[in-house]
Structures are given as C-alpha cells and as structure tokens.
C-alpha cells in the first residue's frame, strides 16, 4: 500500500489513516477495498503508469483509497517479461550467439574429426555385433569349453559334444540369417549403398555426402553408446561460453569465482536476478546473488577474479545493489580509460547546482559521471608533472563558474597563463603573491567567523540553501602550493611565511566547510614534507593522479594506502588524467573529463557562457559587493579581481581601468543577450534598438552624452554608438577565433543590426 487518504476530512485536508488504525484493522480494510474493486468499477487504472486505485468505505463513512503502483506496461506488454523487451538484454544475447557461431565455426574441423572418429567406433562396434549375431560367434566359446572339459575328464578329446554344438550352431545361424529382420536389414543396407553410389555417379560426391548424414548420425549415436559402455569420457562440442574471449555469462562467472577461490564448495554457484545485459563502454553487467557471498568478499578477491577472467583488474567493477549480497558485476573487453571523454559541461546550457547535484568532473570505469559536490570540497590534489592536475582544476573551475552563488579565488605559484582563461569570473586571482595571500587568508578567517555568527543568530549551525544564496559560496584554490607552503627552503623569512600560511589554511580547512567556505590545494610532489601533515589531515577529499613512487602516493591518499591496493604510482603517462579519488564513500578509480583549451578553446566557451549567465544577474566580479576582495583592496590599494593586470594575477592599482575595463569588455555579449531577452528574444534587432536597450542598462557608457553626440541627433547616435559597439565586440572576441558582425536586411523593412543566433555563437554557447 503506497497511500491512504481521507477525502471526507474538513476543508479537503488529506489525512494519513495508516497512523490511526491498528495493523489488523488496516489489513482488513485493505482486503475489503481489493475485493470491492474486483466486484465493481471502483478499481481504476492510470493509463500512463498502470497505477491501480482501490477504494472501500469504512464503518464511519470515510473513504479509504489504496494506490498500487504498476510498471507502466499494459495490454499484451503486461504479459511479456520485461527482459524480453529490453534492448540491452537482446544486444548481449546477440553477442553471445554471434560469438558461439564464430567459435563453433572455427572449431568445425576438430568437430568433424571427432564425429568421424566416434562414427567409426560406432560402425566397428555395430558391424562386430552384427557379424557375431549372424555367425553365432557365442558358440565358439562353448565349443572351446567343451573340448577342454572332455580332455580334462577323459584324458583325450571326445568330439561328440563338440559335434553336437557345431550342429546347433549351424542350425541357429541358418535360422538367424533367414529372419525377416535380417533380410530387411540387408535389403535396406544394400539399397541405401546403391542409392548413394548412384547419386555419386550421377551428381557427384558433393551431393552424395549429404546422403551419408543419416548413417553418420546413427553411427555417431552408436559410438557414443559404445564409449559410455566402456566408461570412457568423450567430448565432441566444446562449450563456447568457456572460451577466453567469450562474452560474460553465468557459466563464465561461476568458473572465474571458483578459480579465484571465492567459492569454497562444489555446489556453490551464482543465481542471476536479472538477464545479463550490455552496458556502458562496451561492457556487460550481471546482477546476481550467491550463497554466502557478499560484495566485500568479492572486492577482496577482485585481482584474482580479474586474473581468472584474463583481464586487467581495471576492466571489472563490483558494486552492491540493494543489499551487500545483491551484486552488480560489470566487465568490459577494452580499457575503459583508454580514451578522453569530453566534459558534459560543453553541451550543458544554463546554470548548475554545484552543492546539491555537484560538478561532473570525471568518469568512472563504467563511463558514469563522478560528481564533485562542493559540500565535500576540502580537497588535496596531487600528481607529477603532466599528470593532469590542471585538467582536474579546469573541470572544477568551469563547473563552479556556472553556479551563480560561487565566488572563485585562485592563488598559483607557477604558470599564470594556465588560469587566465578563467579571469572574467574570478573574484580574486593572484600569481606569486604570498604576502597578499596571507592577507586574503586573514579575511577568509574573518568571513568564516561572520558567517558563523549570522547562522547562530538564525539558530542554525549549518547553512540552508537560502543562506548560501544570501551569503554566497567561497572556493579558494591554491595551485602549485609548494611555492607557498614549503618550509624547507634556504630562506628563513620564506620558511616563516610558509608556516604562517599553513596555520591559516589549516584554520580554514577545519572551520570553513560548515559555513560554505571550501579549500582546494594542488601540489606536485608532497612527499618531501612541504605541506604540513596538520593541514593535510583536514583535507578529507583526496585525488591522487600519477605520482613518482609509493611514498608520494601515501602522502596524497593517506598513510598505508598503497598497502591497501591504491597504486597511483603505477598509472601510465598515457593514461593521464587518470587517478584515484578517495573520499567519504571510499576509493574510486576515475579519469577527469577533457576540456581542451589549447586546441579548441573549450574552457573559454564554458567561461563565456558563465559570463553571460552571471552578467544577466549582475553577479560578475565588480557587479556586486565582495566582502573579501573589497577589504583586500581597502588594505592594499590594489585589486586582483579578474586577474588584475591583463588577467595574469598581477595586482592592478585601484582606479586604473585595466581590471574594470576587462570586466566590462568581456560582458558586452552578455549585455546584448540581455537586451534580446528583454525584447522577448526576437530573431534579430536593429542597431538603434540594441543601443536603446544598452543605454537603459548602462547610461554612463551608452547614452548620447557619453558617446559625445548631441541629444536628439538619432542618426549620429546610431552611427557613433554602432561604431563603439563594434569596437567592444572586437575587443572581447580578439584571440578567440570567433567573430560577430552587423548585417543588413530588407525583409520587413530595410535595417542594419545583429541576429540573435549569431550573438549566441559568438558567445560560444548553443543557440536557444
């Protein structure tokens, strides 16, 4: 029973009667409702879901309604098992049949020889038996025995008994050869031979061979019977399911589990709970149960199971379904991490919820997205040079940029250009500024305290969705952290500053997650102790890419991790950015999605869409108050919003238009899209209409006075404003490979302006 309602309650209020009735009364009412539904039209079925609604009236006149959900299959489909209509199941069955056909075709010469051999044994046995029957050979032993007995008793051979036995033998043989069965058999055999010979002479041996199939089949059966009589084992057709390249079947799984030592008794075997089906990445999935077997036991033997299946351990995946004993077993016949997979962010439009849904940062063995939720984001990312740390951070930043609540701040020790593509959405971006980073961390600690007090005044210890909307979400990314945190340098001053930064970061790592402040630290080689273990201990989420050795692996994943089977030091260079992610839900082998910025400019496209989304809501850096960056500017007189000078992380003096101009320039396409949206998203808009909309949004830049045009001089305003608009568009798109030009049209009146689809394309997002 899924729902019980009282429709006679005052005001139409829905009441749950199941909480008021004793179990025996509830069961009685349910039974009464079902019986009444069978007798009358009170049982109604939903045409789309198959839900059956049963009703019955209680003793006090209330209406009891019981809903029984169906599987949405009606008519003839309801009579057909779901497995027969599942295309993935049929695809796997087709693979099994195709493999079996190919396997048996390849082994057909062996089968032919075995059939000929077995048929020969059968023919020999039957001819011998027939000859013995017709020649009465059993009398031979009797005659020999009579001779031995006569010689033993009388001392000489007495042939009287022998003569009598020979007479009986001749008489019985003559009778046997005249039997109807003997005559008919001989006639049939000679006729059959004559027919075969005739066919061979007239039509050739090619047609004579099929005529021999019946006798071969009979002799095959006789040969099998003869071998069984002798107690000899024989195999003609080998099972294709046990071949090394066979698709996954229950037979193969049973064999592998027995070989791996999972099964300890001969009678143990799996029981499929659903048909085996084709799955992701050219894989196959089987759901089964086995007596005394749990997921934990299988995971402990995963290496042995992979060995029994003759595949690398990475090619199998074992998970629990609805209980530890209900197992999902997945296997593929190729490396699931051999190829890059494009990020889902490239095709996704609109904002995302990085807290509730997470960021699709990587994929697992089965090709499924591994979501990186911000609530888990106190993370250490470690890996050698070119192991893929930059790609991991790219997925993180691009995803976070599409959550409007998130303020992203990056401090990097090397390669400022690697993160400059994100500059338009970065609230703070600094390159090699340890003193400024120290001040930033002080402001972070104050911000965490302010958030905690604000939540305390509301009577909450953790923020709700409304609180995060109000306060915002903070992410601080410290890339190439060794340049900031290494305390083993020759400079005492630098070592002291590194210790100071470590203490402040540790404070943020301990207290930030509970109020919506998160920290990500990326480092190349943590084994030398450049990051204090106190800080690492509070970074509960770990992501280890390819590292140099086991010491580095343990430094990232935690002490003893390599001994437990986690071996990021064994990852090949060609597999980057493959790594092991360790979190609250355990360890998972995962590879970061590809966002190709160098060749395809894909990160810029995602950031362009994020700029548009944030710009429409006034959430770009500089468009809304920023308590941390604003305080940092007040302390230093310099800003690193949008990356400061040229977006490369160098602080720009306040009042210098570099940072502000950069923010305005990158948002011009977003402003155009906002004007289109205000007008109802028409297919195209005149330049004069666009300028009017831009003036409403930013009069300081787009009014006639700001453009130096006399008020009321419309032609001059459109000409000058159009020129400024073209310059702004060109400045924004310079270096991106995209263009946007004004176009004229005559349909519907001669005019000049821009098409909405082309503005979308220039912004690097799919047209709506």
């Amino acid at each position: 029973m899924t729902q019980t309602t009282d429709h006679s309650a005052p005001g139409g209020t829905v009441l749950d009667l199941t909480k008021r009735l004793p179990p025996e009364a509830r069961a009685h009412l349910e039974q009464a409702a079902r019986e009444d539904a069978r007798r009358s039209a009170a049982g109604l079925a939903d045409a789309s879901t198959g839900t059956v609604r049963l009703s019955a009236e209680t003793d006090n006149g209330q209406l009891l309604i019981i809903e029984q959900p169906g599987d949405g299959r009606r008519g003839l489909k309801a009579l057909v098992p779901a497995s027969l209509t599942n295309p993935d199941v049929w695809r796997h069955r087709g693979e099994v049949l195709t493999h079996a056909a190919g396997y048996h075709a390849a082994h057909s010469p062996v089968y032919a020889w075995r059939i000929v051999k077995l048929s020969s044994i059968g023919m020999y046995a039957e001819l011998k038996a027939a000859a013995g029957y017709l020649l009465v050979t059993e009398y031979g032993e009797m005659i020999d025995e009579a001779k031995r007995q006569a010689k033993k008793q009388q001392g000489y051979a007495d042939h009287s008994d022998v003569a009598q036995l020979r007479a009986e033998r001749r008489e019985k043989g003559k009778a046997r050869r005249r039997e109807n069965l003997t005559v008919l058999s001989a006639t049939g055999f000679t006729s059959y031979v004559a027919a075969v010979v005739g066919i061979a002479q007239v039509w050739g041996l090619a047609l004579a061979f099929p005529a021999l199939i019946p006798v071969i089949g009979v002799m095959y059966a006789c040969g099998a019977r003869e071998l069984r009589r002798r107690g000899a084992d024989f195999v003609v057709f080998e099972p294709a399911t046990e071949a090394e390249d066979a698709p996954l079947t229950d037979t193969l799984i049973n064999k592998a589990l027995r070989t791996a030592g999972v099964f300890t008794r001969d009678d143990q075997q799996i029981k499929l709970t659903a048909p085996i089906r084709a799955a992701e990445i050219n894989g196959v999935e089987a759901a089964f149960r086995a007596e005394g077997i749990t997921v934990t036991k299988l995971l402990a033997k995963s290496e042995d199971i992979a060995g029994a299946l003759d595949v690398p351990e990475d090619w199998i995946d074992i998970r629990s379904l609805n209980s530890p004993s209900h197992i999902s077993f997945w296997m593929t016949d190729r490396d699931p991490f051999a190829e890059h997979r494009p990020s889902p962010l490239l095709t996704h439009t609109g904002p995302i919820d990085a807290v509730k849904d997470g960021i699709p940062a990587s994929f697992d063995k089965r090709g499924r997205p591994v979501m990186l939720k911000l609530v888990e984001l106190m993370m250490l990312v470690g890996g050698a040079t070119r192991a893929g740390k930059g790609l991991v951070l790219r997925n993180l930043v691009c995803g976070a940029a599409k959550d409007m609540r998130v303020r992203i701040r990056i401090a990097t020790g090397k390669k400022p250009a690697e993160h400059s593509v994100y500059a338009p959405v970065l609230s703070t971006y600094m390159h090699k500024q340890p003193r400024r980073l120290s001040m930033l961390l002080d402001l972070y600690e104050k911000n965490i305290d302010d958030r905690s007090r604000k939540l305390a005044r509301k009577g909450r210890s953790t923020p709700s969705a409304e609180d995060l909307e109000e306060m915002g979400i903070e992410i601080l990314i410290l890339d190439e952290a060794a340049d900031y945190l290494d305390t083993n340098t020759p400079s005492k001053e630098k070592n002291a500053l590194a210790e100071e930064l470590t203490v402040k970061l540790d404070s943020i790592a301990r207290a930030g997650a509970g109020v919506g402040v998160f920290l990500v630290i990326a480092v190349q080689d943590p084994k030398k102790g450049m990051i204090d273990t106190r800080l690492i201990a509070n970074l509960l989420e770990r992501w280890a890419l390819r590292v140099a050795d086991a010491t580095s692996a343990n430094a990232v994943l935690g002490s003893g991790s390599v001994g437990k089977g986690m071996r990021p030091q064994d990852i090949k260079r060609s597999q980057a950015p493959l790594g092991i992610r360790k979190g609250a839900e355990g360890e998972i082998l995962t590879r970061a999605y590809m966002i190709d910025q160098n060749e395809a400019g894909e990160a810029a496209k995602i950031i362009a869409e994020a700029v548009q989304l944030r710009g429409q809501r006034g959430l770009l850096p500089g468009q809304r108050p920023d308590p941390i960056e604003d305080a940092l500017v007040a302390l230093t007189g310099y800003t690193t919003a949008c990356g400061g000078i040229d977006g490369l992380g160098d602080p720009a003096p306040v009042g210098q238009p570099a940072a502000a101009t950069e923010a305005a320039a990158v948002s011009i396409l977003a402003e155009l899209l906002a004007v289109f949206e205000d007008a109802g998203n028409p297919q195209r808009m005149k330049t004069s209409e666009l300028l009017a909309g831009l003036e409403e949004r930013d009069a300081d830049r787009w009014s006639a006075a700001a453009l130096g045009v006399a008020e009321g001089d419309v032609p001059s305003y459109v000409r000058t404003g159009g020129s400024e608009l073209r310059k702004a568009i060109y400045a924004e798109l310079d270096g991106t490979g995209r263009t946007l030009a004004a176009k004229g049209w005559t349909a519907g009146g001669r005019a000049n302006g821009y098409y909405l689809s082309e503005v979308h394309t220039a912004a690097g997002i799919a047209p709506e």
Side-chain angles (χ1 to χ4, degrees), residues 323-370:
S323 71
S325 61
H326 195 187
I327 298 159
S328 169
F329 186 93
W330 175 89
M331 187 181 82
T332 183
D333 59 1
R334 67 183 182 189
D335 185 357
F337 299 112
E339 300 176 355
H340 284 295
R341 295 172 70 89
S343 170
L345 294 173
L346 295 172
T347 56
H348 179 274
T349 57
I352 68 173
D353 189 333
V355 175
K356 181 180 178 181
D357 301 325
I359 298 168
S362 61
F363 60 94
D364 64 7
K365 295 178 183 180
R366 304 192 184 195
R368 299 173 181 174
V370 178

Coordinates of all heavy atoms in Angstrom, one line a residue, residues 323-370:
S323 N 21.5 -4.6 -1.5 CA 22.0 -5.2 -0.2 C 23.4 -5.7 -0.5 O 23.8 -5.9 -1.7 CB 21.1 -6.4 0.2 OG 21.2 -7.5 -0.7
P324 N 24.2 -6.0 0.5 CA 25.6 -6.5 0.3 C 25.6 -7.8 -0.4 O 26.7 -8.1 -1.1 CB 26.1 -6.6 1.7 CG 25.3 -5.7 2.6 CD 23.9 -5.7 2.0
S325 N 24.6 -8.6 -0.4 CA 24.6 -9.9 -1.1 C 24.0 -9.8 -2.5 O 24.1 -10.8 -3.2 CB 23.8 -10.9 -0.3 OG 22.5 -10.5 -0.1
H326 N 23.4 -8.7 -2.9 CA 22.9 -8.5 -4.2 C 24.0 -7.7 -5.0 O 24.2 -6.5 -4.7 CB 21.6 -7.7 -4.2 CG 20.8 -7.8 -5.5 ND1 19.7 -7.1 -5.7 CD2 21.1 -8.6 -6.6 CE1 19.3 -7.4 -6.9 NE2 20.1 -8.3 -7.5
I327 N 24.6 -8.4 -5.9 CA 25.8 -7.9 -6.5 C 25.6 -7.5 -8.0 O 25.0 -8.2 -8.8 CB 26.9 -9.0 -6.4 CG1 27.2 -9.3 -5.0 CG2 28.2 -8.5 -7.1 CD1 27.8 -10.6 -4.7
S328 N 26.2 -6.3 -8.4 CA 26.3 -5.9 -9.8 C 27.7 -6.1 -10.2 O 28.7 -5.5 -9.7 CB 25.9 -4.4 -9.9 OG 26.2 -4.0 -11.2
F329 N 27.9 -7.0 -11.2 CA 29.2 -7.3 -11.7 C 29.3 -6.8 -13.2 O 28.5 -7.2 -14.0 CB 29.4 -8.8 -11.7 CG 30.8 -9.3 -12.1 CD1 31.8 -9.5 -11.1 CD2 31.2 -9.5 -13.4 CE1 33.1 -9.8 -11.4 CE2 32.4 -9.9 -13.7 CZ 33.4 -10.1 -12.8
W330 N 30.3 -5.9 -13.4 CA 30.4 -5.3 -14.7 C 31.8 -5.6 -15.2 O 32.8 -5.7 -14.5 CB 30.3 -3.8 -14.6 CG 30.6 -3.0 -15.8 CD1 29.7 -2.7 -16.8 CD2 31.8 -2.4 -16.2 NE1 30.3 -1.9 -17.8 CE2 31.6 -1.8 -17.5 CE3 33.1 -2.4 -15.6 CZ2 32.6 -1.1 -18.1 CZ3 34.1 -1.8 -16.3 CH2 33.9 -1.1 -17.5
M331 N 31.9 -5.9 -16.5 CA 33.2 -6.2 -17.2 C 33.2 -5.7 -18.6 O 32.1 -5.7 -19.2 CB 33.4 -7.8 -17.2 CG 34.8 -8.1 -17.7 SD 35.1 -9.9 -17.8 CE 34.3 -10.3 -19.3
T332 N 34.3 -5.2 -19.0 CA 34.5 -4.7 -20.4 C 35.6 -5.5 -21.1 O 36.5 -6.1 -20.4 CB 34.8 -3.2 -20.4 OG1 34.9 -2.8 -21.8 CG2 36.1 -2.9 -19.7
D333 N 35.7 -5.4 -22.4 CA 36.7 -6.1 -23.1 C 37.8 -5.1 -23.7 O 38.5 -5.5 -24.6 CB 36.2 -7.0 -24.3 CG 35.4 -6.1 -25.2 OD1 35.3 -4.9 -25.1 OD2 34.8 -6.7 -26.2
R334 N 37.8 -3.9 -23.1 CA 38.8 -2.9 -23.5 C 39.0 -2.0 -22.4 O 38.2 -1.9 -21.5 CB 38.4 -2.2 -24.8 CG 37.1 -1.3 -24.6 CD 36.7 -0.6 -25.9 NE 35.6 0.3 -25.7 CZ 35.0 0.9 -26.7 NH1 35.3 0.6 -27.9 NH2 33.9 1.7 -26.4
D335 N 40.1 -1.3 -22.4 CA 40.5 -0.3 -21.3 C 39.4 0.8 -21.2 O 39.3 1.6 -22.2 CB 41.9 0.2 -21.6 CG 42.4 1.1 -20.5 OD1 41.6 1.3 -19.5 OD2 43.5 1.6 -20.6
P336 N 38.7 0.9 -20.1 CA 37.7 1.9 -20.0 C 38.2 3.3 -19.9 O 37.5 4.3 -20.1 CB 36.9 1.5 -18.7 CG 37.9 0.7 -17.9 CD 38.8 0.0 -18.9
F337 N 39.5 3.4 -19.6 CA 40.2 4.7 -19.5 C 41.1 5.0 -20.6 O 42.0 5.9 -20.5 CB 40.9 4.9 -18.2 CG 40.0 4.7 -17.0 CD1 40.1 3.6 -16.2 CD2 39.0 5.6 -16.7 CE1 39.3 3.4 -15.0 CE2 38.2 5.5 -15.5 CZ 38.4 4.4 -14.7
A338 N 41.0 4.3 -21.7 CA 42.0 4.4 -22.8 C 41.8 5.8 -23.6 O 42.7 6.3 -24.2 CB 41.8 3.3 -23.8
E339 N 40.6 6.3 -23.6 CA 40.3 7.5 -24.4 C 39.8 8.6 -23.5 O 39.2 8.4 -22.5 CB 39.3 7.2 -25.5 CG 39.7 6.1 -26.4 CD 38.6 5.7 -27.4 OE1 37.5 6.2 -27.3 OE2 38.9 4.9 -28.3
H340 N 40.0 9.8 -24.0 CA 39.5 11.0 -23.4 C 37.9 11.0 -23.6 O 37.5 10.6 -24.7 CB 40.1 12.3 -23.9 CG 41.4 12.6 -23.4 ND1 41.7 12.9 -22.1 CD2 42.6 12.6 -24.1 CE1 43.0 13.1 -21.9 NE2 43.6 12.9 -23.1
R341 N 37.2 11.6 -22.7 CA 35.8 11.8 -22.9 C 35.5 13.3 -22.7 O 35.9 13.9 -21.7 CB 35.0 11.0 -21.9 CG 35.1 9.5 -22.1 CD 34.5 8.7 -21.0 NE 33.0 8.7 -21.0 CZ 32.3 7.9 -21.6 NH1 32.8 6.9 -22.3 NH2 30.9 8.0 -21.6
P342 N 34.8 13.9 -23.6 CA 34.5 15.4 -23.5 C 33.6 15.6 -22.2 O 32.8 14.9 -21.9 CB 33.8 15.7 -24.8 CG 33.2 14.4 -25.2 CD 34.2 13.3 -24.8
S343 N 33.9 16.8 -21.6 CA 33.1 17.2 -20.4 C 31.6 17.4 -20.8 O 31.3 18.0 -21.8 CB 33.7 18.4 -19.8 OG 32.9 18.9 -18.8
P344 N 30.7 16.9 -19.9 CA 29.3 17.2 -20.1 C 29.0 18.7 -20.1 O 28.0 19.2 -20.6 CB 28.6 16.5 -19.0 CG 29.6 15.4 -18.6 CD 30.9 16.0 -18.8
L345 N 29.9 19.5 -19.5 CA 29.7 21.0 -19.4 C 29.7 21.6 -20.8 O 29.2 22.7 -21.0 CB 30.8 21.6 -18.6 CG 30.8 21.2 -17.1 CD1 32.1 21.8 -16.4 CD2 29.6 21.8 -16.4
L346 N 30.4 20.9 -21.8 CA 30.4 21.5 -23.1 C 29.1 21.5 -23.8 O 28.9 22.3 -24.7 CB 31.5 20.7 -24.0 CG 32.9 20.8 -23.5 CD1 33.8 19.8 -24.3 CD2 33.5 22.2 -23.6
T347 N 28.2 20.6 -23.5 CA 26.9 20.6 -24.1 C 25.8 21.1 -23.1 O 24.7 21.2 -23.6 CB 26.6 19.2 -24.6 OG1 26.7 18.3 -23.4 CG2 27.5 18.7 -25.6
H348 N 26.1 21.3 -21.9 CA 25.1 21.7 -20.9 C 24.9 23.2 -21.1 O 25.9 24.0 -21.2 CB 25.6 21.4 -19.5 CG 24.7 21.8 -18.4 ND1 24.7 23.1 -17.9 CD2 23.6 21.2 -17.8 CE1 23.7 23.2 -17.0 NE2 23.1 22.1 -16.9
T349 N 23.7 23.7 -21.0 CA 23.4 25.1 -21.0 C 22.6 25.5 -19.8 O 21.9 24.7 -19.2 CB 22.5 25.4 -22.3 OG1 21.3 24.6 -22.2 CG2 23.2 25.2 -23.6
G350 N 22.8 26.7 -19.3 CA 22.2 27.1 -18.1 C 23.0 26.9 -16.9 O 24.1 26.2 -16.9
P351 N 22.6 27.4 -15.7 CA 23.3 27.2 -14.5 C 23.2 25.8 -14.0 O 22.4 25.0 -14.4 CB 22.7 28.2 -13.6 CG 21.3 28.3 -14.1 CD 21.3 28.2 -15.6
I352 N 24.1 25.5 -13.0 CA 24.1 24.2 -12.3 C 24.1 24.4 -10.8 O 24.4 25.5 -10.4 CB 25.3 23.3 -12.7 CG1 26.6 23.9 -12.2 CG2 25.4 23.1 -14.2 CD1 27.8 23.0 -12.4
D353 N 23.7 23.4 -10.1 CA 23.7 23.5 -8.6 C 24.9 22.6 -8.2 O 24.8 21.4 -8.1 CB 22.4 22.9 -8.0 CG 22.3 23.2 -6.5 OD1 23.4 23.2 -5.9 OD2 21.2 23.3 -6.0
A354 N 26.0 23.3 -7.9 CA 27.3 22.5 -7.5 C 27.2 22.0 -6.1 O 28.1 21.2 -5.8 CB 28.5 23.5 -7.7
V355 N 26.3 22.4 -5.3 CA 26.2 21.9 -3.9 C 25.3 20.6 -3.9 O 25.7 19.6 -3.5 CB 25.6 22.9 -3.0 CG1 25.3 22.3 -1.6 CG2 26.5 24.1 -2.9
K356 N 24.1 20.7 -4.5 CA 23.2 19.6 -4.5 C 23.5 18.5 -5.5 O 23.6 17.3 -5.2 CB 21.7 20.1 -4.7 CG 20.7 19.0 -4.7 CD 19.3 19.6 -4.9 CE 18.2 18.5 -5.0 NZ 16.9 19.1 -5.3
D357 N 23.7 19.0 -6.8 CA 24.0 18.0 -7.8 C 25.4 17.7 -8.1 O 25.8 16.6 -8.5 CB 23.3 18.5 -9.1 CG 21.8 18.7 -9.0 OD1 21.2 17.9 -8.3 OD2 21.3 19.7 -9.6
G358 N 26.3 18.7 -7.8 CA 27.7 18.5 -8.0 C 28.2 18.9 -9.4 O 27.4 19.2 -10.3
I359 N 29.5 18.9 -9.6 CA 30.1 19.2 -10.8 C 30.6 17.9 -11.5 O 31.3 17.1 -10.9 CB 31.3 20.1 -10.6 CG1 30.9 21.4 -10.0 CG2 32.1 20.4 -11.9 CD1 32.0 22.3 -9.4
P360 N 30.2 17.6 -12.8 CA 30.7 16.4 -13.5 C 32.2 16.6 -13.8 O 32.5 17.0 -14.9 CB 29.8 16.4 -14.7 CG 29.4 17.8 -15.0 CD 29.3 18.5 -13.6
A361 N 33.1 16.2 -12.9 CA 34.5 16.5 -13.0 C 35.2 15.3 -13.7 O 36.3 15.5 -14.3 CB 35.1 16.8 -11.7
S362 N 34.7 14.1 -13.6 CA 35.4 12.9 -14.1 C 34.4 11.8 -14.3 O 33.2 11.9 -14.0 CB 36.5 12.5 -13.1 OG 35.9 12.1 -11.8
F363 N 34.9 10.7 -14.8 CA 34.1 9.5 -15.0 C 34.7 8.3 -14.5 O 36.0 8.2 -14.4 CB 33.7 9.3 -16.5 CG 34.9 9.1 -17.4 CD1 35.4 7.8 -17.8 CD2 35.6 10.2 -17.9 CE1 36.5 7.6 -18.6 CE2 36.8 10.0 -18.7 CZ 37.2 8.7 -19.1
D364 N 33.9 7.2 -14.2 CA 34.4 6.0 -13.6 C 34.6 4.9 -14.6 O 34.5 5.2 -15.8 CB 33.5 5.5 -12.4 CG 32.1 5.1 -12.9 OD1 31.9 5.1 -14.2 OD2 31.3 4.9 -12.1
K365 N 34.9 3.7 -14.2 CA 35.1 2.6 -15.1 C 33.9 2.4 -16.1 O 34.1 2.1 -17.3 CB 35.3 1.3 -14.3 CG 36.5 1.2 -13.5 CD 36.6 -0.1 -12.7 CE 37.8 -0.2 -11.8 NZ 37.8 -1.5 -11.1
R366 N 32.7 2.6 -15.6 CA 31.6 2.3 -16.4 C 31.2 3.5 -17.3 O 30.2 3.5 -17.9 CB 30.4 1.9 -15.5 CG 30.7 0.8 -14.6 CD 29.4 0.3 -13.9 NE 29.6 -0.8 -13.0 CZ 28.7 -1.6 -12.5 NH1 27.5 -1.5 -12.9 NH2 29.0 -2.6 -11.6
G367 N 32.0 4.6 -17.2 CA 31.7 5.7 -18.0 C 30.7 6.7 -17.4 O 30.3 7.6 -18.0
R368 N 30.3 6.4 -16.2 CA 29.3 7.2 -15.5 C 30.0 8.5 -14.9 O 31.1 8.4 -14.3 CB 28.6 6.4 -14.4 CG 27.9 5.2 -14.9 CD 27.3 4.4 -13.8 NE 26.6 3.2 -14.3 CZ 26.1 2.3 -13.6 NH1 26.3 2.3 -12.3 NH2 25.5 1.2 -14.1
P369 N 29.4 9.6 -14.9 CA 30.0 10.8 -14.3 C 30.2 10.6 -12.8 O 29.3 10.1 -12.1 CB 28.9 11.9 -14.5 CG 28.1 11.4 -15.6 CD 28.1 9.9 -15.5
V370 N 31.3 11.1 -12.3 CA 31.6 11.1 -10.9 C 31.4 12.6 -10.4 O 32.3 13.4 -10.8 CB 33.0 10.6 -10.5 CG1 33.3 10.7 -9.1 CG2 33.2 9.1 -11.0

